[in-house]
Amino acid sequence: MTVIAALKARGLVWVAGDAAFMQGWDLSIRPDEKVFYCKQFLIGVAGSPRANNLLKWSFDPPQPQTNNLTEYMNTSFLNGVRKCFTDGGFTEKDNDVESYSSEMLVAILGRLYEIDSGYQVIEVPEYASIGTGSDVALGALYATEGMGPMRRLQIALESAEKFNGAVRGPFQILRSRK
């Protein structure tokens, strides 16, 4: 239903997203952005618009209780996301396993994390992509190494739009804050 791509360069993280929304076989262009700032975080969401709306309008990231950023992302931050989704009626349970129907890329302090639908947190070393157009976007990011970050992301999203029926512009590219 979408493509969100991100890459690290020059001590910052750039995150880009498309505007497509699919419901069944119906495609529409969303007026609200899938990539947004949430306090000190830059977040891109693929999947249900409900996850996007909850994170954008209801999520209040907890203050770090540790200097270890990966530990924080796997504990306090993730518990805050789970609480936001639970309070918003957005979590599902199957055989006592909690999940949600989206995934996200989260940038903070020059670092990039991918959080999947089962709340798995993975730090991304260079670049990542999520959503239905992610494979094409990843290939484009690989093929454009050496170019500037804005151009690489533009090419990645344009490639995903060309080869995936659920990806559409206009595209949005944001840069993490210093």
Side-chain angles (χ1 to χ4, degrees):
M1 292 199 310
T2 197
V3 65
I4 305 292
L7 60 85
K8 294 166 50 173
R10 302 180 201 136
L12 298 171
V13 180
W14 280 260
V15 181
D18 76 325
F21 173 69
M22 295 283 297
Q23 191 164 8
W25 290 102
D26 297 328
L27 172 75
S28 59
I29 303 303
R30 289 176 49 163
D32 59 328
E33 294 86 11
K34 298 176 187 178
V35 177
F36 54 91
Y37 296 103
C38 179
K39 295 204 175 177
Q40 69 269 39
F41 297 91
L42 175 56
I43 301 174
V45 179
S48 172
R50 181 70 177 145
N52 188 49
N53 294 337
L54 285 169
L55 290 169
K56 191 184 295 183
W57 307 116
S58 297
F59 182 49
D60 186 17
Q63 289 298 315
Q65 302 299 314
T66 176
N67 289 330
N68 182 324
L69 188 55
T70 299
E71 178 184 348
Y72 166 75
M73 292 299 294
N74 276 279
T75 56
S76 301
F77 181 87
L78 194 57
N79 289 336
V81 169
R82 289 180 62 220
K83 180 173 178 5
C84 177
F85 285 173
T86 299
D87 291 350
F90 186 60
T91 58
E92 303 168 4
K93 275 200 173 180
D94 185 20
N95 292 324
D96 288 332
V97 176
E98 184 180 320
S99 65
Y100 65 104
S101 58
S102 294
E103 52 191 335
M104 66 185 96
L105 294 175
V106 180
I108 180 167
L109 300 174
R111 292 170 72 178
L112 176 61
Y113 294 88
E114 181 176 342
I115 302 175
D116 71 10
S117 62
Y119 299 104
Q120 171 84 26
V121 178
I122 303 163
E123 184 166 7
V124 177
E126 294 178 60
Y127 52 83
S129 185
I130 56 175
T132 59
S134 67
D135 288 343
V136 175
L138 284 172
L141 289 171
Y142 172 78
T144 58
E145 285 183 14
M147 292 183 179
M150 297 282 287
R151 185 70 183 128
R152 288 180 73 192
L153 287 168
Q154 186 70 34
I155 290 170
L157 269 62
E158 287 172 357
S159 299
E161 180 180 44
K162 177 149 179 86
F163 294 104
N164 187 295
V167 175
R168 292 290 180 275
F171 304 128
Q172 175 193 26
I173 303 173
L174 296 179
R175 183 189 70 183
S176 64
R177 299 176 177 146
K178 290 192 176 198

CSV table of all heavy atoms in Angstrom, one decimal, residues 1-3 16-21 27-32 34 153-154 156-173:
chain,number,residue,atom,x,y,z
A,1,MET,N,0.8,-1.2,0.0
A,1,MET,CA,0.0,0.0,0.0
A,1,MET,C,0.8,1.3,0.0
A,1,MET,O,0.3,2.3,0.0
A,1,MET,CB,-0.9,0.0,1.2
A,1,MET,CG,-2.0,-1.0,1.2
A,1,MET,SD,-3.4,-0.7,2.3
A,1,MET,CE,-2.6,-0.3,3.8
A,2,THR,N,2.1,1.1,0.0
A,2,THR,CA,2.9,2.3,0.1
A,2,THR,C,4.4,2.0,0.0
A,2,THR,O,4.8,0.8,-0.2
A,2,THR,CB,2.7,3.0,1.5
A,2,THR,OG1,3.1,4.3,1.5
A,2,THR,CG2,3.4,2.3,2.6
A,3,VAL,N,5.2,3.0,0.0
A,3,VAL,CA,6.6,2.9,0.2
A,3,VAL,C,7.2,4.0,1.1
A,3,VAL,O,6.8,5.2,0.9
A,3,VAL,CB,7.4,2.8,-1.2
A,3,VAL,CG1,7.3,4.1,-1.9
A,3,VAL,CG2,8.8,2.4,-0.9
A,16,ALA,N,11.6,9.4,3.3
A,16,ALA,CA,10.7,9.7,2.2
A,16,ALA,C,9.5,8.8,2.2
A,16,ALA,O,9.6,7.6,2.5
A,16,ALA,CB,11.4,9.7,0.9
A,17,GLY,N,8.4,9.3,1.7
A,17,GLY,CA,7.2,8.5,1.6
A,17,GLY,C,6.3,9.0,0.4
A,17,GLY,O,6.4,10.1,0.0
A,18,ASP,N,5.4,8.0,0.0
A,18,ASP,CA,4.5,8.3,-1.1
A,18,ASP,C,3.2,8.8,-0.5
A,18,ASP,O,3.1,9.0,0.7
A,18,ASP,CB,4.3,7.1,-2.0
A,18,ASP,CG,3.5,6.1,-1.4
A,18,ASP,OD1,3.5,5.9,-0.2
A,18,ASP,OD2,2.7,5.4,-2.1
A,19,ALA,N,2.2,8.9,-1.3
A,19,ALA,CA,0.8,9.4,-0.9
A,19,ALA,C,-0.3,8.4,-1.2
A,19,ALA,O,-1.5,8.8,-1.0
A,19,ALA,CB,0.6,10.7,-1.6
A,20,ALA,N,0.0,7.2,-1.6
A,20,ALA,CA,-1.1,6.3,-2.0
A,20,ALA,C,-1.8,5.7,-0.7
A,20,ALA,O,-1.2,5.5,0.3
A,20,ALA,CB,-0.5,5.1,-2.8
A,21,PHE,N,-3.1,5.5,-0.9
A,21,PHE,CA,-3.9,4.7,0.1
A,21,PHE,C,-4.7,3.7,-0.7
A,21,PHE,O,-5.4,4.1,-1.6
A,21,PHE,CB,-4.8,5.7,0.8
A,21,PHE,CG,-5.7,5.0,1.7
A,21,PHE,CD1,-5.3,4.3,2.9
A,21,PHE,CD2,-7.1,5.0,1.5
A,21,PHE,CE1,-6.2,3.7,3.7
A,21,PHE,CE2,-8.0,4.4,2.3
A,21,PHE,CZ,-7.5,3.7,3.4
A,27,LEU,N,-7.6,2.8,-5.1
A,27,LEU,CA,-6.5,3.6,-4.9
A,27,LEU,C,-6.9,5.0,-4.8
A,27,LEU,O,-7.6,5.5,-5.6
A,27,LEU,CB,-5.4,3.4,-6.0
A,27,LEU,CG,-4.2,4.3,-5.9
A,27,LEU,CD1,-3.2,3.9,-4.8
A,27,LEU,CD2,-3.5,4.4,-7.2
A,28,SER,N,-6.4,5.7,-3.7
A,28,SER,CA,-6.6,7.1,-3.6
A,28,SER,C,-5.3,7.8,-3.1
A,28,SER,O,-4.4,7.1,-2.6
A,28,SER,CB,-7.8,7.5,-2.7
A,28,SER,OG,-7.6,7.0,-1.4
A,29,ILE,N,-5.3,9.1,-3.3
A,29,ILE,CA,-4.1,9.8,-2.8
A,29,ILE,C,-4.5,10.5,-1.5
A,29,ILE,O,-5.5,11.2,-1.4
A,29,ILE,CB,-3.7,10.9,-3.8
A,29,ILE,CG1,-3.4,10.3,-5.2
A,29,ILE,CG2,-2.5,11.7,-3.3
A,29,ILE,CD1,-2.4,9.2,-5.2
A,30,ARG,N,-3.6,10.2,-0.5
A,30,ARG,CA,-3.9,10.8,0.9
A,30,ARG,C,-3.4,12.2,1.0
A,30,ARG,O,-2.3,12.5,0.6
A,30,ARG,CB,-3.2,9.9,1.9
A,30,ARG,CG,-3.7,8.6,2.1
A,30,ARG,CD,-2.9,7.7,3.1
A,30,ARG,NE,-2.7,8.5,4.3
A,30,ARG,CZ,-2.3,7.9,5.4
A,30,ARG,NH1,-2.1,6.6,5.5
A,30,ARG,NH2,-2.1,8.6,6.5
A,31,PRO,N,-4.2,13.0,1.6
A,31,PRO,CA,-3.7,14.4,1.8
A,31,PRO,C,-2.8,14.5,3.0
A,31,PRO,O,-2.0,15.5,3.1
A,31,PRO,CB,-5.0,15.2,2.1
A,31,PRO,CG,-6.0,14.2,2.6
A,31,PRO,CD,-5.6,12.9,2.0
A,32,ASP,N,-2.9,13.6,4.0
A,32,ASP,CA,-2.0,13.7,5.2
A,32,ASP,C,-0.7,12.9,4.9
A,32,ASP,O,-0.7,11.9,4.2
A,32,ASP,CB,-2.7,13.1,6.4
A,32,ASP,CG,-3.2,11.7,6.3
A,32,ASP,OD1,-3.5,11.3,5.2
A,32,ASP,OD2,-3.2,11.0,7.3
A,34,LYS,N,2.7,10.6,5.3
A,34,LYS,CA,3.1,9.4,6.0
A,34,LYS,C,4.4,9.5,6.7
A,34,LYS,O,4.9,8.6,7.4
A,34,LYS,CB,3.2,8.2,5.0
A,34,LYS,CG,1.9,7.9,4.3
A,34,LYS,CD,2.1,6.9,3.2
A,34,LYS,CE,0.8,6.7,2.4
A,34,LYS,NZ,1.0,5.7,1.4
A,153,LEU,N,16.7,9.2,-2.8
A,153,LEU,CA,15.3,8.9,-2.3
A,153,LEU,C,14.3,9.2,-3.4
A,153,LEU,O,13.3,8.5,-3.5
A,153,LEU,CB,15.0,9.7,-1.0
A,153,LEU,CG,15.7,9.1,0.2
A,153,LEU,CD1,15.6,10.1,1.4
A,153,LEU,CD2,15.2,7.7,0.6
A,154,GLN,N,14.5,10.3,-4.1
A,154,GLN,CA,13.5,10.6,-5.2
A,154,GLN,C,13.5,9.5,-6.2
A,154,GLN,O,12.5,9.0,-6.7
A,154,GLN,CB,13.9,11.9,-5.9
A,154,GLN,CG,12.9,12.4,-6.9
A,154,GLN,CD,11.6,12.9,-6.3
A,154,GLN,OE1,11.6,13.4,-5.2
A,154,GLN,NE2,10.5,12.7,-7.1
A,156,ALA,N,14.4,6.4,-5.7
A,156,ALA,CA,13.9,5.2,-5.1
A,156,ALA,C,12.3,5.2,-5.1
A,156,ALA,O,11.7,4.2,-5.5
A,156,ALA,CB,14.4,5.0,-3.7
A,157,LEU,N,11.7,6.3,-4.8
A,157,LEU,CA,10.3,6.4,-4.8
A,157,LEU,C,9.7,6.4,-6.2
A,157,LEU,O,8.7,5.8,-6.5
A,157,LEU,CB,9.8,7.6,-4.0
A,157,LEU,CG,9.6,7.3,-2.5
A,157,LEU,CD1,10.8,6.8,-1.8
A,157,LEU,CD2,8.9,8.4,-1.8
A,158,GLU,N,10.4,7.1,-7.1
A,158,GLU,CA,9.9,7.0,-8.5
A,158,GLU,C,10.0,5.6,-9.1
A,158,GLU,O,9.1,5.2,-9.8
A,158,GLU,CB,10.7,8.0,-9.4
A,158,GLU,CG,10.4,9.5,-9.1
A,158,GLU,CD,11.4,10.4,-9.8
A,158,GLU,OE1,12.3,9.9,-10.5
A,158,GLU,OE2,11.2,11.6,-9.7
A,159,SER,N,11.0,4.9,-8.7
A,159,SER,CA,11.2,3.5,-9.2
A,159,SER,C,10.0,2.6,-8.6
A,159,SER,O,9.4,1.8,-9.3
A,159,SER,CB,12.5,2.9,-8.8
A,159,SER,OG,13.6,3.7,-9.4
A,160,ALA,N,9.8,2.8,-7.3
A,160,ALA,CA,8.7,2.0,-6.7
A,160,ALA,C,7.3,2.4,-7.3
A,160,ALA,O,6.5,1.5,-7.6
A,160,ALA,CB,8.7,2.3,-5.2
A,161,GLU,N,7.1,3.6,-7.7
A,161,GLU,CA,5.9,4.0,-8.3
A,161,GLU,C,5.7,3.4,-9.7
A,161,GLU,O,4.7,3.0,-10.1
A,161,GLU,CB,5.8,5.6,-8.4
A,161,GLU,CG,4.5,6.1,-9.1
A,161,GLU,CD,4.5,7.6,-9.2
A,161,GLU,OE1,5.5,8.2,-9.6
A,161,GLU,OE2,3.4,8.1,-8.9
A,162,LYS,N,6.8,3.3,-10.4
A,162,LYS,CA,6.8,2.8,-11.8
A,162,LYS,C,6.5,1.3,-11.8
A,162,LYS,O,5.8,0.8,-12.6
A,162,LYS,CB,8.1,3.0,-12.5
A,162,LYS,CG,8.2,2.4,-13.9
A,162,LYS,CD,9.0,3.2,-14.8
A,162,LYS,CE,9.1,2.5,-16.2
A,162,LYS,NZ,8.0,2.9,-17.0
A,163,PHE,N,7.0,0.6,-10.8
A,163,PHE,CA,6.9,-0.9,-10.8
A,163,PHE,C,6.0,-1.5,-9.7
A,163,PHE,O,5.9,-2.7,-9.6
A,163,PHE,CB,8.3,-1.5,-10.6
A,163,PHE,CG,9.2,-1.2,-11.8
A,163,PHE,CD1,10.2,-0.3,-11.7
A,163,PHE,CD2,9.0,-1.9,-13.0
A,163,PHE,CE1,11.0,0.0,-12.8
A,163,PHE,CE2,9.8,-1.6,-14.1
A,163,PHE,CZ,10.8,-0.6,-14.0
A,164,ASN,N,5.3,-0.6,-9.0
A,164,ASN,CA,4.3,-1.1,-8.0
A,164,ASN,C,3.0,-0.3,-8.1
A,164,ASN,O,3.0,0.9,-7.9
A,164,ASN,CB,4.9,-1.0,-6.6
A,164,ASN,CG,4.1,-1.6,-5.5
A,164,ASN,OD1,2.9,-1.2,-5.3
A,164,ASN,ND2,4.6,-2.7,-4.9
A,165,GLY,N,1.9,-1.0,-8.3
A,165,GLY,CA,0.6,-0.3,-8.5
A,165,GLY,C,0.1,0.4,-7.3
A,165,GLY,O,-0.9,1.1,-7.3
A,166,ALA,N,0.6,0.1,-6.1
A,166,ALA,CA,0.1,0.7,-4.8
A,166,ALA,C,1.0,1.8,-4.3
A,166,ALA,O,0.9,2.3,-3.2
A,166,ALA,CB,0.0,-0.4,-3.8
A,167,VAL,N,1.9,2.4,-5.2
A,167,VAL,CA,2.7,3.5,-4.8
A,167,VAL,C,2.5,4.7,-5.7
A,167,VAL,O,2.5,4.5,-7.0
A,167,VAL,CB,4.2,3.1,-4.9
A,167,VAL,CG1,5.1,4.3,-4.6
A,167,VAL,CG2,4.5,2.0,-3.9
A,168,ARG,N,2.2,5.8,-5.2
A,168,ARG,CA,1.9,7.0,-6.0
A,168,ARG,C,2.4,8.3,-5.3
A,168,ARG,O,2.4,8.4,-4.1
A,168,ARG,CB,0.4,7.2,-6.2
A,168,ARG,CG,-0.3,6.2,-7.0
A,168,ARG,CD,0.1,6.3,-8.5
A,168,ARG,NE,-0.6,5.3,-9.3
A,168,ARG,CZ,-0.1,4.1,-9.5
A,168,ARG,NH1,0.9,3.6,-8.9
A,168,ARG,NH2,-0.8,3.2,-10.3
A,169,GLY,N,2.9,9.2,-6.2
A,169,GLY,CA,3.2,10.5,-5.7
A,169,GLY,C,2.0,11.3,-5.4
A,169,GLY,O,0.9,10.8,-5.6
A,170,PRO,N,2.1,12.5,-4.9
A,170,PRO,CA,3.4,13.2,-4.7
A,170,PRO,C,4.2,12.6,-3.6
A,170,PRO,O,3.6,12.0,-2.6
A,170,PRO,CB,3.0,14.6,-4.4
A,170,PRO,CG,1.6,14.5,-3.8
A,170,PRO,CD,1.0,13.3,-4.5
A,171,PHE,N,5.5,12.8,-3.6
A,171,PHE,CA,6.4,12.3,-2.6
A,171,PHE,C,6.8,13.4,-1.7
A,171,PHE,O,6.9,14.5,-2.0
A,171,PHE,CB,7.7,11.7,-3.3
A,171,PHE,CG,7.3,10.6,-4.3
A,171,PHE,CD1,7.8,10.7,-5.6
A,171,PHE,CD2,6.5,9.6,-4.0
A,171,PHE,CE1,7.6,9.8,-6.6
A,171,PHE,CE2,6.2,8.6,-5.0
A,171,PHE,CZ,6.7,8.7,-6.3
A,172,GLN,N,7.1,12.9,-0.5
A,172,GLN,CA,7.6,13.8,0.6
A,172,GLN,C,8.9,13.3,1.1
A,172,GLN,O,9.1,12.1,1.4
A,172,GLN,CB,6.5,13.8,1.7
A,172,GLN,CG,6.9,14.6,2.9
A,172,GLN,CD,6.0,14.4,4.1
A,172,GLN,OE1,5.4,13.3,4.2
A,172,GLN,NE2,5.9,15.3,5.0
A,173,ILE,N,9.9,14.2,1.2
A,173,ILE,CA,11.2,13.9,1.8
A,173,ILE,C,11.5,14.8,2.9
A,173,ILE,O,11.5,16.1,2.7
A,173,ILE,CB,12.3,13.9,0.7
A,173,ILE,CG1,12.0,13.0,-0.4
A,173,ILE,CG2,13.6,13.5,1.3
A,173,ILE,CD1,12.9,13.1,-1.6
